[in-house]
Amino acid sequence: MRYTKDFGKLGLPEDFKFGIELEAYNVKTKGEDSLYSGESAEYIKSKNWHMATKSEESLVGEGGAELVSPILRDTKQDWEDIFAMCEQMKKFPGNKGNKVIADSKCGLHIHFDAECLAKNPNKMRNFLRLYAESEELLYKMCNDKNDPIRKGAINKDFKGIHLISAMWRNGMAAPTGKKILKQIQDGTLKLSYKKFGKLRMLASKYKLDERRYAGLNLTNIGNSKKNTIEFRMANGTLDLEVIKQNVFLYASLINTAIKMTDNPELYQDSLSQFYKTDVTEKEKAENFLKLIIENPEDRQIYIDRWESVKQAQVFQKNERKGFAQNRFKREQFKQIAMRTPADIVHSTYAHFKEIITRTNDKGAITYDR
């Protein structure tokens, strides 16, 4: 697999199928000469794309639009069609300005056919383990450079179009890595394969993802009509290159889970490096990308994305957001240590040592008042 610009193929495995939901705001969808009417509607239908209605997507009722792709493959024609749908949406600005925009109300949702993972429980388990370990990095790599993830993806957002649903969920694409790792460690993450049906325990009985409002939506696994895993964390965009880079990132993660299950000995060293936690966030990011992406130039795309947003305010106090904790050393702690003079550290250590060794007759620690 290699990243290619424009309409070139990425080299995804032949059995990889995916789908895309394009969301944008300030789009005219009603009346004549709108995205959803006349020649525009006919053109969209001719490409087998679906125009989401108000009942399907609240964004449509608030001045936005959503186009949902058919099943896509890594072909020149399908990349051309994605580009064409992005351009089609841009042609119909609404009454909120002179441009169609993909703002903080919008997300880019990418679905992958789950069959390549679900037919082998070990592949699904390895995928979930990789995802949980890398989740925070994925949230920092899933958008274009200098475009940190929208606040409403992670946190409750009591502003805008999702006011009601915000009352009972954390965000539109909340992290679940902490929950996944806990279930793996507790031995409660169970997968079984029988016509996909019992895999639904992932989303119900074991409550790994009981609602679809998660960065990784697993609620469709086992659904005979829509057997998919969905990546929901990315910001909305109408830029083909950003979309294509995300497909490549997610597909690389899935493909690695499959290959490491089939040939574990080939991944032993790189997995050992990736799972280390006594490393900085940069080292963790580099080890992650070395694991899933072969070409250094391709890896640089996501290092640049990560570097540009790693300190964004939305990622602060991550222990409340569901990211798996202590997967790497926080860079801010390292910076604090580097700014602290060594003589202060030594003096503080000596003071605490004196306090701890000062005890009363009963052996209890006493403190200076």
Side-chain angles (χ1 to χ4, degrees), residues 101-120:
I101 57 175
D103 63 4
S104 61
K105 304 177 187 65
C106 308
L108 171 66
H109 303 161
I110 299 178
H111 301 252
F112 284 87
D113 185 355
E115 184 174 359
C116 60
L117 293 171
K119 61 186 177 182
N120 184 334

Side-chain angles (χ1 to χ4, degrees), residues 200-253:
R200 291 194 64 80
M201 66 178 65
L202 275 170
S204 55
K205 183 177 180 180
Y206 291 94
K207 299 185 177 180
L208 182 56
D209 183 15
E210 67 271 23
R211 298 191 180 101
R212 68 186 181 94
Y213 294 109
L216 179 66
N217 172 23
L218 303 171
T219 60
N220 290 324
I221 292 177
N223 187 321
S224 60
K225 296 182 179 179
K226 189 179 180 181
N227 180 37
T228 64
I229 56 175
E230 176 189 17
F231 295 86
R232 293 176 52 88
M233 68 280 286
N235 294 344
T237 181
L238 296 178
D239 184 326
L240 175 65
E241 292 307 319
V242 176
I243 296 169
K244 197 174 183 184
Q245 287 168 2
N246 277 24
V247 171
F248 185 76
L249 176 64
Y250 303 148
S252 296
L253 178 62

